[in-house]
Amino acid sequence: MDLTPEDLAHLSARTLAHYDRQAEDFRAATRDHDVRQNISALLAAIEAPPPFEILDFGCGPGRDLLTFRRLGHRATGLEGSAQLAQMARADSGCEVLEQNFLWLDLPAGRFDGVFANAALFHVPTQALPRVLRELHAALKPGGVLFSSNPRGDGQEGWRGERYGAFHDLAAWRQHMTAAGFVELGHYYRPAGLPREQQPWLASVWRKPIS
């Protein structure tokens, strides 16, 4: 699928407009999601001395930013929806960068970890290599990227008013390794269920030191 710059701008604007309209409902629906397993997977893989510099990529209304802050880390959010970014600042007290996933402007080598929980699946496959390289560049050498995405077998397109790309493990590995990451591990969620009842693929990756 070849998307023009105009196509990319349209799908991004439409997806973000959905989140802006649904911001309050989205906050209420996700407030009590238990992502402790994911947060622990990221933090356990970081080898730098704490406190860590964490980028919460696609931070939404700030639930996990607040968790990272309470754990003593320096957390920065990144959110494309203006309404969700405003909520995240108010609820977490953290800096939140209001940036479109497709047009990032991140400082080089700043972060010990990137927490991309239920976010990167909104990046069209065509743009994913560039976005992953930009996240790689934003990490310190040895830094860690955690991702959790709804899995699939290559489907891509609209689900309602949101655009998504749904990868299996093999495809996700290809994208991540091509961007320069080394796999540390992966698992499926929710834990303890048969695979067909685990729609989420979580994985942990390191930026090599050299």
Side-chain angles (χ1 to χ4, degrees):
M1 180 190 311
D2 290 326
L3 297 169
T4 67
E6 292 76 17
D7 292 332
L8 292 171
H10 169 72
L11 68 86
S12 178
R14 181 174 165 186
T15 300
L16 291 174
H18 167 82
Y19 281 111
D20 279 338
R21 289 192 304 271
Q22 301 295 323
E24 287 291 354
D25 289 343
F26 183 77
R27 174 162 60 179
T30 60
R31 178 179 288 120
D32 297 325
H33 283 188
D34 184 357
V35 295
R36 288 175 294 178
Q37 181 184 17
N38 295 347
I39 289 173
S40 295
L42 171 69
L43 298 180
I46 298 175
E47 296 180 340
F52 306 141
E53 290 280 355
I54 303 293
L55 176 67
D56 187 350
F57 181 86
C59 65
R63 177 197 64 207
D64 302 330
L65 277 175
L66 185 58
T67 298
F68 286 123
R69 182 180 179 186
R70 286 173 172 169
L71 290 172
H73 303 295
R74 295 186 290 266
T76 301
L78 187 147
E79 177 54 52
S81 160
Q83 294 298 317
L84 291 177
Q86 183 178 5
M87 289 178 179
R89 294 186 191 100
D91 289 357
S92 72
C94 296
E95 177 187 10
V96 176
L97 308 174
E98 190 177 321
Q99 294 187 15
N100 189 302
F101 292 177
L102 303 186
W103 295 280
L104 298 174
D105 182 16
L106 296 172
R110 173 176 170 180
F111 300 103
D112 297 298
V114 172
F115 188 65
N117 189 72
L120 283 169
F121 78 99
H122 283 312
V123 176
T125 300
Q126 178 178 314
L128 187 59
R130 172 176 52 80
V131 172
L132 291 177
R133 289 194 301 268
E134 291 170 343
L135 293 177
H136 185 279
L139 282 166
K140 299 175 184 177
V144 174
L145 184 148
F146 170 89
S147 73
S148 179
N149 295 308
R151 61 190 180 93
D153 55 8
Q155 309 98 317
E156 181 167 355
W158 293 100
R159 292 195 176 182
E161 292 296 306
R162 301 187 301 170
Y163 191 91
F166 304 90
H167 308 280
D168 61 15
L169 177 59
W172 192 245
R173 277 176 169 157
Q174 289 180 344
H175 287 297
M176 294 297 294
T177 55
F181 289 97
V182 175
E183 185 178 356
L184 300 180
H186 70 274
Y187 55 90
Y188 296 92
R189 282 177 50 85
L193 296 177
R195 184 59 50 81
E196 61 270 16
Q197 297 177 35
Q198 294 177 311
W200 294 90
L201 169 61
S203 54
V204 188
W205 306 83
R206 189 179 308 283
K207 175 180 178 176
I209 293 177
S210 60

